Amino acid sequence: MRTNTQHLSARTSADVRNLGILAHVDAGKTTVTERILFLTGATHKRGEVHDGTTVTDFDTQERDRGITIFAAAVSCAWDGHRINLIDTPGHVDFADEVERSLRVLDGAVAVFDAVAGVEPQSESVWRQADRYDVPRIAFINKLDRAGADLDTAVASIRERLHTAPLVVQLPIGREDEFTGVVDLLRMRALVWHAGRDTYEVVPIPEALREQAHRRRHVLEETVAELHAAAMEEYCTASALSTPALAAALRDLTLSGEGVVVLCGSAYRNRGIEPLLEAVVSYLPSPADVPAVRGTLGGTVQERAADPAAPFAGLAFKVNATATGRLTYIRVYSGTITKGETVMDAGTGRTERIGRILRVQADRHAELDRATAGDIVAVVGLKTARAGTTLCSPAAPLVLEPPTVAASVVSMAVEALRSVDTGRLSSALARLVEEDPSLAVRVDRETGQTVLSGMGELHLEVAVEKIRRAHGIEVGVGRPQVAYRETVVRGVSGLVYRHVKQDGGAGQFAHVVIDVEPLEAQAGTADSFVFGSTVTGGRVPQEYIRAVEAGCRDALAEGPIGGHPVTGLRVTLTDGATHPKDSSEMAFRTAGRFALRAALRAATMELLEPVVELTATVPDDAVGGVLGDLAARRGRVSDSTTRSGTAAITAAVPLAELFGYASRLRSRTQGRGTFTTRPMGYASVPVGVSAGVLGR
């Protein structure tokens, strides 16, 4: 068994592992993180979520609510390797935290509940990891629970995530009698005795030997089908040696063609050491991943994870603390030292690194330098935001920032005391700085300050943070959802002529446009295509670009209720210019007013955000829950029963889900739970349009 080597630090980037813990809410990822910290010696006491004593869930709201809200970075060492670990949220409202974390990670551990298998948010975070090509290994947790079944959980990985699960362990005992695992790679048993934190290596129990050999054979066959070199050895010897199998498992993990599956019970501290060994063996180091790609002057450049290369790093999180502003950075190439000057590649501004910190959730250790592959926090940067590229002033480079999801829920906020109005504006600005998925605007009609986010819980957490951190009493209005408007039947040949003459140079622009639905992008939240069929130079190219800009301006407010317009194609078919009075400004104005007129003439419809809701309820409450979902315009797509509970999946308009948590609790006597994930946009039925707009 490998022992804790917390006193060691990584010697090169090959000795570093940057990984995230991904999971559906309540799958146990924070407990997995806590056990990793305990076993590696980073902490000396096991933190428990239910006791509010965890390292990574250090925020007061996280401990009060019992869920992870903010991605927390920690660092530890195992077997001579430095492990930089980010515990990510599992609730869909905080998916943007996961997105920003995945952008800077090299690998991930996906945690699944052995009873529930792949749950909705598990699938969502898996798809997020797919977008960034992050290699993963899977950990089937909670094998000590009633109803836990490894094979069922593995089948859900195969069916719902469409990947090849490579199961390398077999549990010893079921539910309360789960005591260890059979290591199918080395064909040995690892047993955790009561009261001990480390495993003991023993022979495979007689009752499991035949099953273990059969599963090892299945593992070899599966690997051979996916890996060319393994297939060659398997065809020659009808088996795979342990070194060849281990090498193939690593290759398949790095390529994403398969996912190594381990199992255990984090709460009982069983299975964590083999998980750490798998992290070191199968997940990539910064030296194993492709060189980071960035742009400079329109050309693509690459920077390898070389400490001697020019510095390039990406800020992925900003946190304002009582002791200063922390900017979390992934260093992709080069080295930064305390006191060094770095450049914001987007703005060209230079700033000085005051301090470099190794982060341990809410605790920090000072460092003199950080090199390629490190994830650290720095103090002293005043303007860097999440997604900002920091680089050496002598070798600028712009890295691709993480994507930011569009807000779907809004609420009006105001300070209850007039003296706090200015402080509230500052607090909201700081919130948006820390969390890019939040947005603040002032409604032009009502003058209200509107806070927008990813869900009802997201906004609740943001408002509560203002109250607790800034001592401001805040009043809130009822949440509103982000509606869209789209074109059902367009118009052709709409003519708009912009003429303005009030002394001096005038303005002249003549445009003819066609507007039609963008069928290929139906159901998406943001889709607009502009084209031009003008020939003969009747409208110069720079004026065509101005018309497009004007059309984009007009998309901000639709004719139904002033909501953003989406899902349309605009084609400029003709136009005319004046030798003196035409300008880009005139054509931009013409484009804006032409599209507004076209939308008023077209047939429009209202779109609303729709989510996939998965409710887990007792069997005796299914009828009431289904009836309530039908009343909320929900469309049930699946219902499965297992161990006295039913899992109901339905597509439900987001506007109908405000207050649903309380309703579900009352219908199920507090035993029902639900999760949601965004599905896109759908048409609002005609009969409910007026009610929706009046919400």
Side-chain angles (χ1 to χ4, degrees):
M1 188 193 79
R2 290 175 183 165
T3 57
N4 164 40
T5 52
Q6 171 64 20
H7 64 283
L8 292 176
S9 60
R11 293 175 291 275
T12 68
S13 61
D15 300 321
V16 174
R17 298 292 183 274
N18 293 317
L19 69 134
I21 307 293
L22 312 175
H24 183 91
V25 65
D26 288 335
K29 63 190 174 311
T30 297
T31 303
V32 169
T33 304
E34 291 297 320
R35 296 305 183 263
I36 289 175
L37 295 177
F38 177 73
L39 282 172
T40 56
T43 60
H44 302 290
K45 182 180 178 181
R46 285 177 288 193
E48 304 293 353
V49 173
H50 56 271
D51 291 335
T53 57
T54 57
V55 173
T56 53
D57 286 354
F58 59 86
D59 186 85
T60 307
Q61 289 200 70
E62 292 179 310
R63 294 185 172 180
D64 289 348
R65 298 174 186 269
I67 61 172
T68 300
I69 295 173
F70 310 107
V74 291
S75 187
C76 56
W78 178 262
D79 196 36
H81 294 75
R82 167 66 56 188
I83 298 176
N84 297 318
L85 189 152
I86 297 180
D87 179 23
T88 64
H91 197 285
V92 65
D93 282 18
F94 309 104
D96 195 66
E97 289 271 336
V98 183
E99 189 85 16
R100 285 182 278 125
S101 299
L102 284 170
R103 172 63 182 84
V104 299
L105 293 173
D106 300 323
V109 175
V111 180
F112 301 96
D113 187 316
V115 177
V118 176
E119 297 173 90
Q121 189 59 12
S122 308
E123 194 171 347
S124 295
V125 296
W126 191 272
R127 302 300 172 219
Q128 287 178 292
D130 281 342
R131 284 202 296 273
Y132 293 106
D133 295 323
V134 175
R136 280 141 281 173
I137 58 178
F139 181 70
I140 309 297
N141 191 27
K142 301 188 179 184
L143 274 175
D144 57 327
R145 283 186 61 194
D149 186 84
L150 175 65
D151 291 336
T152 303
V154 170
S156 70
I157 291 176
R158 182 183 298 107
E159 294 163 7
R160 297 195 63 175
L161 303 182
H162 308 293
T163 189
L166 307 171
V167 184
V168 297
Q169 291 178 344
L170 170 66
I172 300 174
R174 291 179 60 87
E175 301 177 354
D176 282 344
E177 297 178 357
F178 170 67
T179 58
V181 298
V182 174
D183 178 358
L184 299 177
L185 196 66
R186 299 175 181 84
M187 295 305 290
R188 58 182 185 169
L190 312 177
V191 176
W192 285 265
H193 297 291
R196 294 189 59 184
D197 294 320
T198 57
Y199 62 74
E200 179 185 354
V201 179
V202 299
I204 298 173
E206 183 68 33
L208 291 176
R209 282 182 188 171
E210 182 181 346
Q211 185 180 2
H213 284 287
R214 185 173 68 252
R215 292 197 179 224
R216 165 69 183 238
H217 183 66
V218 170
L219 175 63
E220 290 177 357
E221 279 188 336
T222 305
V223 169
E225 289 174 1
L226 299 170
H227 193 278
M231 173 62 82
E232 186 176 341
E233 179 174 324
Y234 188 79
C235 290
T236 302
S238 299
L240 290 177
S241 65
T242 297
L245 180 57
L249 288 172
R250 176 175 169 80
D251 290 344
L252 293 173
T253 300
L254 296 183
S255 68
E257 295 179 73
V259 56
V260 172
V261 180
L262 301 98
C263 59
S265 168
Y267 179 69
R268 296 195 179 187
N269 211 37
R270 293 170 184 171
I272 302 302
E273 290 155 292
L275 176 62
L276 281 166
E277 293 166 4
V279 164
V280 169
S281 299
Y282 304 128
L283 291 182
S285 72
D288 296 320
V289 298
V292 68
R293 296 164 67 91
T295 58
L296 177 62
T299 61
V300 177
Q301 293 192 1
E302 293 186 348
R303 295 269 175 91
D306 180 1
F311 165 66
L314 186 71
F316 66 95
K317 183 178 175 67
V318 174
N319 189 19
T321 69
T323 56
R325 187 175 183 272
L326 293 181
T327 305
Y328 292 75
I329 295 175
R330 162 67 190 267
V331 182
Y332 281 100
S333 69
T335 302
I336 52 169
T337 57
K338 186 166 59 174
E340 186 174 343
T341 297
V342 297
M343 185 176 78
D344 179 336
T347 64
R349 295 194 189 100
T350 57
E351 296 196 73
R352 183 177 171 274
I353 302 287
R355 290 190 296 157
I356 303 174
L357 306 174
R358 177 82 68 197
V359 182
Q360 202 74 355
D362 59 339
R363 300 189 301 274
H364 316 109
E366 285 214 36
L367 302 172
D368 291 329
R369 66 183 58 230
T371 61
D374 277 338
I375 293 178
V376 295
V378 299
V379 179
L381 304 183
K382 295 184 175 120
T383 61
R385 301 288 185 269
T388 295
T389 300
L390 300 170
C391 58
S392 168
L397 187 72
V398 179
L399 304 177
E400 180 186 358
T403 58
V404 179
S407 304
V408 294
V409 179
S410 302
M411 65 165 54
V413 295
E414 63 177 354
L416 295 182
R417 297 180 300 179
S418 59
V419 294
D420 287 336
T421 302
R423 293 177 59 213
L424 176 61
S425 297
S426 299
L428 288 170
R430 180 173 291 183
L431 271 182
V432 174
E433 180 181 321
E434 294 184 355
D435 185 352
S437 62
L438 289 170
V440 176
R441 63 180 175 85
V442 176
D443 189 282
R444 286 185 288 184
E445 293 184 4
T446 65
Q448 290 178 304
T449 299
V450 179
L451 177 65
S452 303
M454 301 301 297
E456 200 171 2
L457 179 60
H458 191 202
L459 296 181
E460 284 180 16
V461 168
V463 170
E464 188 62 24
K465 189 171 184 179
I466 292 174
R467 289 175 178 151
R468 295 189 184 192
H470 302 277
I472 302 172
E473 287 302 317
V474 181
V476 298
R478 191 183 189 281
Q480 304 282 325
V481 302
Y483 295 99
R484 298 286 187 269
E485 299 177 26
T486 193
V487 176
V488 177
R489 187 169 59 250
V491 295
S492 299
L494 187 134
V495 179
Y496 188 84
R497 188 180 179 90
H498 175 64
V499 181
K500 186 176 181 182
Q501 193 73 47
D502 52 5
Q507 293 185 26
F508 178 89
H510 178 89
V511 296
V512 182
I513 63 172
D514 292 347
V515 176
E516 59 184 328
L518 189 60
E519 298 294 343
Q521 300 288 332
T524 60
D526 294 291
S527 52
F528 169 71
V529 172
F530 180 86
S532 171
T533 59
V534 177
T535 58
R538 291 177 60 80
V539 180
Q541 190 61 41
E542 62 269 24
Y543 292 169
I544 293 176
R545 289 194 295 267
V547 174
E548 179 181 357
C551 289
R552 291 187 181 277
D553 294 340
L555 296 177
E557 294 183 3
I560 298 177
H563 306 291
V565 181
T566 185
L568 73 162
R569 183 191 306 275
V570 177
T571 306
L572 178 65
T573 60
D574 200 0
T577 63
H578 186 277
K580 292 184 179 179
D581 293 343
S582 290
S583 64
E584 290 185 25
M585 180 181 294
F587 272 88
R588 181 166 185 160
T589 302
R592 181 170 69 253
F593 285 107
L595 183 53
R596 284 183 182 176
L599 294 178
R600 287 194 296 270
T603 302
M604 305 288 292
E605 72 175 359
L606 192 68
L607 301 176
E608 62 181 344
V610 177
V611 300
E612 181 187 76
L613 176 143
T614 301
T616 303
V617 301
D619 281 344
D620 56 6
V622 170
V625 171
L626 288 174
D628 186 49
L629 287 174
R632 296 171 185 271
R633 298 188 285 129
R635 299 187 306 277
V636 176
S637 58
D638 188 32
S639 179
T640 57
T641 302
R642 183 182 177 189
S643 303
T645 62
I648 301 168
T649 303
V652 188
L654 181 60
E656 300 288 353
L657 287 181
F658 295 126
Y660 182 69
S662 300
R663 186 69 171 173
L664 183 66
R665 281 195 295 268
S666 67
R667 285 191 173 273
T668 61
Q669 289 76 49
R671 295 176 292 166
T673 61
F674 78 98
T675 58
T676 61
R677 64 170 181 169
M679 290 181 64
Y681 279 73
S683 301
V684 177
V686 175
V688 300
S689 295
V692 168
L693 288 170
R695 288 180 185 274

